[in-house]
Amino acid sequence: MRYISLKGKYMSKSIYFVRHGESEWNVADRICGATDIPLTERGHQQAIDTGREILNLGIKADKILYSPLARAAETARHISEMTGIPMQAEPRLTEQNFGIWEGTSPRNAAEFRAAKRQFINHYGSGESMFRMAQRIYNLLDDLAEDDKTYILVAHNGIARVVKSYFEDMTNEEYADFGVANCSVNEWKYPAAGLACFDLDMTLLDHSVMEIPASSKKALEILRKKGYLIALCTGRNMDNPANHKYLDEIMPEAVVQNNGQKVTYKGRTIYEVRIDRETIARALELGKEHGFAIGVTLDDRGYFVHPEINREIEERTIGKTTREYCPAEWLLDEEKNLIVHSLVIHGRSAEETEAAAKLVEENMPDLKCMLFSSNTGADVTVAGNSKAHAVEQLIKEVGGVRKVVAFGDSDNDVELLEMADLGIAMGNASDTAKDAADMVTEHISDHGILKAVQSWL
C-alpha cells in the first residue's frame, strides 16, 4: 500500500493565537475588557520576544490580524516588525465589554467568575458571551474559506471563544479558561470535507478501463476547496495491479475490501480479517453448489471453481489476467495469507445472486453485496461496511465539516446513506439510487464532474 504525498497542500490549516503582552491593568489586577489600557514595558518586551519565538518555531503566516485596542495593536506591531509578517486591524477581535465589571478588582473574584457563566448576561451596558461568540465564530468561519495562515493577536476573553470553536468545552471549562500573556497557541481547522469515491464504475469506467479526465478534474476542484479524498472500494488495493489507480487518484485515505481495512497517509488505522475457519466453510459451500468463491492477493487468484473466473475474464476483457493457485492455500497457516474479504462469481447474474443468498443464509456472520452489474458479489464480515470504516477515518483525522459520497453498487448503500450528501451514478443499481440524496449522470457522461459542479 502506497501513500502519494500531497505535501500538505490541501490539508487542514492551522490558525495561531497570541494574547497581548502584559498591560497596566494586568499588573493592577483589574478586570480589563473593552477599556483601552496600554502595555507595560515588560509587555513590550514580551511581544518582541514572542516575535522571535515565532521565527524560531518556523511558523509561516500570511497575515497578523489584531484587535484595535492598544495593548493588542502594540503587541502585533512588535511581532510584525520581528517577523516581517504584514498586519491588519480586525475589529471583531476586540475584547468583550464586561460592563459593570470593567476596572474592578480582583480579576478572579468569585462573583466575576460566576458572572462569566451567564452567557446571555450583558453585565449592564456590556456585551454578552453569546454576542461575542457570534462575531468571533463568524470571523473564524470567514478565515476558513481561504488557503492563508493567520496569527490572531487579541485578548484572554477572545482566546476562550477561539478554543470553544475548535474544541468541546463544558461551561465551567469555558469560563475558567485562559492563556498567558504573549503565549503562542495553535488550533487546526478540520478539513472542509471528506469526499468518498467508489472505484469500479464510479471513478473507473469499465468500458474503457480508464478514469475519465472529467473525474480527475472534479477531484482537483474538491482538493482546492479543502476536501480530503478517500478511495472507498471493494478491491484489495494492496495488490500491485491496483497501484496504478492510487497513482492517478492520489487519495489521502483508502478504505478497501469494503471497509475491512483503512489506511490514512499510508498507515493502517483500522482492520478486520476473515478467519481461516470461516474461509473454509465458505469454500465448501462454493465447491458443493458450483460457484466461484475466493480472493485475489498479489495478482494471484485463490478460488474454488476458478474456471468460472477465467470464463468471465475471457468474456469481458478477452484474456485471463492472473495466475490461479489452489484455494486451500488460504487455509495454510505456514503461508499465512491475510484475507479481508472474499468475492463470489457465478456464470450468470442469476447464479451470482443465488450464490450470495446461499452464503448469507448458511453463514450469518458474513454479508454479501452484489456488484452493480450482478457479475459478482463482495463478501465481508457482517456488521462491517464502508460507512463504518469511514466513521473510523473521520475520528482519526479529527473530524470534518461535511462528508460526500459517490457510489454505484449495493456495497455503497450504507455509505451513501450516512454521508451528508450521497450521490449515486447514473449507471448505479436501483438500490444505490434509492439510498442516495441525488443521482448524477452516467460515468461515461461526466457524472462526477457534473455532480460536483452542481453543489459545490
Side-chain angles (χ1 to χ4, degrees):
M1 176 63 217
R2 295 179 294 171
Y3 166 63
I4 311 301
S5 174
L6 294 172
K7 299 182 180 177
K9 183 177 180 183
Y10 303 116
M11 298 295 99
S12 56
K13 69 175 185 177
S14 292
I15 194 160
Y16 297 92
F17 183 93
V18 177
R19 183 188 174 193
H20 60 77
E22 181 187 78
S23 73
E24 292 180 359
W25 277 14
N26 288 156
V27 175
D29 197 22
R30 298 172 68 182
I31 295 170
C32 187
T35 307
D36 204 359
I37 302 300
L39 295 175
T40 63
E41 285 302 315
R42 182 168 182 262
H44 283 283
Q45 187 59 51
Q46 287 174 329
I48 294 169
D49 292 342
T50 298
R52 188 176 295 112
E53 180 185 1
I54 288 171
L55 285 175
N56 292 338
L57 290 171
I59 294 173
K60 305 295 184 184
D62 297 283
K63 188 174 290 186
I64 298 168
L65 300 179
Y66 64 93
S67 158
L69 295 178
R71 57 192 185 274
E74 283 297 286
T75 301
R77 179 178 64 81
H78 288 305
I79 294 173
S80 178
E81 289 174 352
M82 289 295 298
T83 62
I85 301 170
M87 55 187 281
Q88 176 182 317
E90 173 48 74
R92 286 176 288 183
L93 288 173
T94 303
E95 179 62 295
Q96 182 179 8
N97 186 333
F98 292 117
I100 61 173
W101 296 99
E102 290 278 335
T104 62
S105 183
R107 285 184 295 156
N108 289 320
E111 295 87 349
F112 181 55
R113 292 175 63 188
K116 288 193 291 184
R117 292 179 173 84
Q118 300 172 21
F119 294 160
I120 58 174
N121 190 337
H122 286 76
Y123 316 118
S125 59
E127 180 184 28
S128 72
M129 292 285 184
F130 275 12
R131 286 289 188 186
M132 175 178 61
Q134 180 184 33
R135 58 181 164 92
I136 299 303
Y137 277 28
N138 288 346
L139 171 63
L140 293 170
D141 284 345
D142 290 346
L143 299 183
E145 294 302 315
D146 60 37
D147 59 357
K148 293 182 171 59
T149 299
Y150 295 94
I151 298 174
L152 309 183
V153 179
H155 311 270
N156 211 22
I158 304 303
R160 65 174 63 95
V161 181
V162 174
K163 181 178 173 68
S164 74
Y165 180 93
F166 292 101
E167 303 174 22
D168 287 337
M169 303 173 75
T170 65
N171 290 353
E172 290 73 20
E173 288 170 339
Y174 175 88
D176 293 341
F177 179 76
V179 295
N181 292 114
C182 277
S183 61
V184 180
N185 305 271
E186 178 186 8
W187 284 281
K188 285 186 177 292
Y189 282 100
L194 177 67
C196 305
F197 291 88
D198 178 45
L199 181 59
D200 294 284
M201 290 306 290
T202 297
L203 280 173
L204 179 65
D205 187 345
H206 283 196
S207 67
V208 291
M209 290 307 293
E210 292 180 356
I211 298 173
S214 63
S215 296
K216 294 177 183 177
K217 180 179 179 181
L219 295 178
E220 185 70 12
I221 291 171
L222 288 168
R223 284 195 168 105
K224 287 182 178 179
K225 291 293 185 179
Y227 277 75
L228 303 176
I229 304 299
L231 179 63
C232 301
T233 176
R235 292 197 189 202
N236 177 0
M237 298 307 294
D238 293 334
N239 281 341
N242 293 326
H243 288 176
K244 59 185 178 183
Y245 302 120
L246 297 177
D247 291 342
E248 287 189 73
I249 300 165
M250 297 193 298
E252 284 76 35
V254 176
V255 174
Q256 64 185 53
N257 302 99
N258 289 305
Q260 303 291 99
K261 182 178 178 182
V262 183
T263 55
Y264 177 57
K265 296 186 178 181
R267 180 171 53 87
T268 299
I269 63 168
Y270 178 75
E271 187 174 17
V272 177
R273 301 177 181 180
I274 301 179
D275 61 73
R276 292 190 182 92
E277 180 182 345
T278 301
I279 295 170
R281 289 189 288 136
L283 296 180
E284 282 302 314
L285 274 178
K287 287 179 184 178
E288 181 181 351
H289 295 277
F291 60 86
I293 186 168
V295 66
T296 298
L297 301 172
D298 294 328
D299 295 334
R300 292 180 175 179
Y302 302 85
F303 286 84
V304 296
H305 296 297
E307 69 277 3
I308 296 176
N309 292 56
R310 292 192 182 98
E311 289 175 16
I312 293 172
E313 289 177 335
E314 291 286 350
R315 184 169 68 246
T316 56
I317 60 176
K319 61 180 179 179
T320 298
T321 59
R322 60 195 135 180
E323 173 189 355
Y324 284 92
C325 303
E328 289 72 23
W329 286 11
L330 297 174
L331 311 177
D332 190 328
E333 290 188 12
E334 290 187 5
K335 293 189 181 300
N336 194 31
L337 297 173
I338 296 171
V339 177
H340 296 102
S341 64
L342 299 169
V343 176
I344 291 171
H345 286 294
R347 286 188 169 86
S348 66
E350 292 76 19
E351 282 190 15
T352 300
E353 191 171 352
K357 184 176 180 181
L358 184 69
V359 169
E360 287 194 332
E361 288 175 347
N362 287 272
M363 302 184 68
D365 51 338
L366 294 180
K367 175 176 66 175
C368 299
M369 294 157 288
L370 293 168
F371 300 170
S372 60
S373 60
N374 282 13
T375 58
D378 291 310
V379 184
T380 62
V381 175
N384 205 44
S385 66
K386 290 183 181 181
H388 178 72
V390 167
E391 288 172 351
Q392 309 312 306
L393 173 61
I394 291 170
K395 291 177 183 177
E396 177 67 21
V397 303
V400 294
R401 282 178 274 171
K402 186 172 187 175
V403 178
V404 181
F406 291 77
D408 71 289
S409 298
D410 289 5
N411 65 345
D412 299 311
V413 166
E414 289 160 296
L415 182 55
L416 292 171
E417 290 176 336
M418 71 83 69
D420 297 297
L421 178 60
I423 303 171
M425 304 301 294
N427 49 275
S429 67
D430 290 340
T431 308
K433 288 179 179 178
D434 290 342
D437 298 297
M438 67 176 286
V439 179
T440 187
E441 302 296 330
H442 192 283
I443 184 174
S444 60
D445 191 23
H446 315 295
I448 288 177
L449 179 60
K450 288 179 179 179
V452 169
Q453 290 174 332
S454 73
W455 61 264
L456 192 60

